[in-house]
Amino acid sequence: MLDLLDTLIVREFIASLPPRERQLAKLLMSGHTQTSAARRLGITARAVRYRMRHIRRNFGTWKCGRE
């Protein structure tokens, strides 16, 4: 389980995402699969993969800037 500091870091990162990526991240964190999140957002599975790629890229950049 994440400790308090990890939880705060993840929340801060999620808050820094653009709205569409933030929506996806929140759904995934609440237990949705990529497929169910796509259905919930009314987008394709491919669009979810694209947004996930951006989230991962942003996290790498965001994390490096914080160290």
Side-chain angles (χ1 to χ4, degrees):
M1 183 149 192
L2 295 175
D3 67 1
L4 182 58
L5 182 58
D6 289 337
T7 302
L8 293 173
I9 290 168
V10 169
R11 286 183 182 170
E12 186 178 338
F13 170 68
I14 297 301
S16 75
L17 291 172
R20 296 185 325 177
E21 292 172 6
R22 187 177 325 120
Q23 282 180 309
L24 174 60
K26 286 181 178 181
L27 286 173
L28 294 173
M29 288 176 20
S30 70
H32 282 269
T33 64
Q34 287 187 8
T35 304
S36 67
R39 271 192 234 118
R40 187 79 173 262
L41 294 172
I43 61 177
T44 65
R46 184 177 182 164
V48 168
R49 288 192 305 271
Y50 180 79
R51 290 182 189 179
M52 284 301 300
R53 194 173 326 134
H54 280 237
I55 290 171
R56 288 184 187 109
R57 189 177 305 140
N58 286 340
F59 184 69
T61 306
W62 184 83
K63 186 174 67 171
C64 291
R66 308 231 352 123
E67 295 177 338

